[in-house]
Amino acid sequence: MAEQRRPLVAGNWKMNGCVADLDEIAAIRDHVASGAAGIAEVAVCPPATLLMAAARLCADSALRLGGQDCHAAPNGAHTGDIAAEMLKDAGASYVIVGHSERRADHAETDADVRAKAAAALRAGLSVILCVGESRAEHEAGEALAKVGAQLAQSLPEGIPADRLVIAYEPIWAIGTGVTPTRGHIAAMHGFLRDELRHHVAGSADAVRLLYGGSVKPGNADELLNASNVDGTLVGGASLKAEEFLPIMQFYSNR
Ligand code: PEP
């Protein structure tokens, strides 16, 4: 029998947000406290500059925080980089690794992503691993092959299932307003669930599979109802509490 997975609604703020925007995190925290997300866990991944202040706001709150990237090393001569241990120290519970924008902007390979995921585990963080195919790969019918290869090559061997979240984010859906069909998402997530059985320690049924890419209040019901979807990674619509709230509320009546 499949394990019960607690859904996760996570916001990726990317390179957005200054001190004034901590008000949004406080508002999200208050929505979580009021039960707006129902059974779901909620997390926000702000820029690293806001992490400690956000952690102070979220002390005694169920709202979780995450980093958006980490270096593979625990410390050292890596100007501008942030270690997983630093994210943990600042109050993060999660770190996103392998986001397509990091892969594109910083030429990150699957091997880099795997090292970052291992670093996150070493530091005591849970991993949100992003995978997803390009538009050209999608149109060529290569989505499953691409994502399967990313999964195999980006996961540290024997990663504990309960410390892993996979975010399926087709690159062509990120920030574009274009979304896959529910059938496409269900097929991909079913494939991911099967593939995970070869890669994780513990039950693959414990791994949460998020869909990400242009999730908005108006399409959350359609997208998150796909089978094997255990939540969402939200970019643009997570920046304002009032836009993030209706997405969180998808889980309030379940
Ligand atoms: C993302 O970048 O993780 C993402 C899902 O972005 P958006 O929701 O803006 O498409």
Side-chain angles (χ1 to χ4, degrees):
M1 197 174 78
E3 292 177 27
Q4 279 290 357
R5 291 178 292 274
R6 186 178 182 205
L8 173 65
V9 177
N12 171 16
W13 279 21
K14 314 191 186 197
M15 197 172 72
N16 297 294
C18 290
V19 170
D21 300 296
L22 288 167
D23 288 351
E24 300 298 330
I25 292 186
I28 295 167
R29 173 202 63 195
D30 294 344
H31 289 319
V32 170
S34 73
I39 58 167
E41 181 180 18
V42 181
V44 174
C45 302
T49 48
L50 295 184
L51 210 40
M52 282 186 68
R56 276 193 288 272
L57 284 178
C58 295
D60 305 323
S61 159
L63 177 59
R64 296 280 164 253
L65 297 169
Q68 300 175 11
D69 176 52
C70 65
H71 196 278
N75 50 50
H78 303 289
T79 303
D81 280 315
I82 299 174
E85 281 78 359
M86 294 170 175
L87 296 172
K88 174 83 176 168
D89 186 50
S93 304
Y94 289 97
V95 62
I96 298 169
V97 298
H99 193 284
S100 59
E101 288 155 11
R102 298 279 326 164
R103 293 177 189 261
D105 294 355
H106 301 272
E108 285 186 9
T109 64
D110 287 335
D112 296 329
V113 174
R114 180 184 169 114
K116 288 168 186 246
L121 296 177
R122 179 190 67 219
L125 297 170
S126 292
V127 173
I128 301 175
L129 169 68
C130 296
V131 293
E133 80 283 2
S134 68
R135 175 174 295 283
E137 288 159 345
H138 178 67
E139 287 172 356
E142 294 167 358
L144 295 182
K146 174 60 186 274
V147 168
Q150 281 182 324
L151 197 69
Q153 288 158 30
S154 305
L155 284 177
E157 202 171 319
I159 184 169
D162 59 356
R163 303 266 303 278
L164 176 64
V165 177
I166 304 290
Y168 168 56
E169 300 207 308
I171 298 169
W172 48 274
I174 295 179
T176 59
V178 179
T179 54
T181 61
R182 197 196 287 190
H184 175 85
I185 297 171
M188 181 60 80
H189 281 225
F191 169 76
L192 284 167
R193 179 77 59 211
D194 285 345
E195 288 296 298
L196 279 167
R197 302 191 199 290
H198 307 298
H199 300 301
V200 300
S203 169
D205 286 338
V207 179
R208 288 175 291 179
L209 302 181
L210 312 187
Y211 167 75
S214 294
V215 174
K216 309 278 179 223
N219 63 18
D221 270 14
E222 168 67 16
L223 299 171
L224 303 186
N225 262 319
S227 65
N228 259 314
V229 171
D230 306 311
T232 178
L233 182 58
V234 183
S238 70
L239 293 172
K240 295 287 173 204
E242 65 186 32
E243 219 187 333
F244 200 35
L245 174 63
I247 299 172
M248 290 160 47
Q249 282 174 328
F250 173 81
Y251 291 104
S252 62
N253 296 321
R254 272 144 223 275

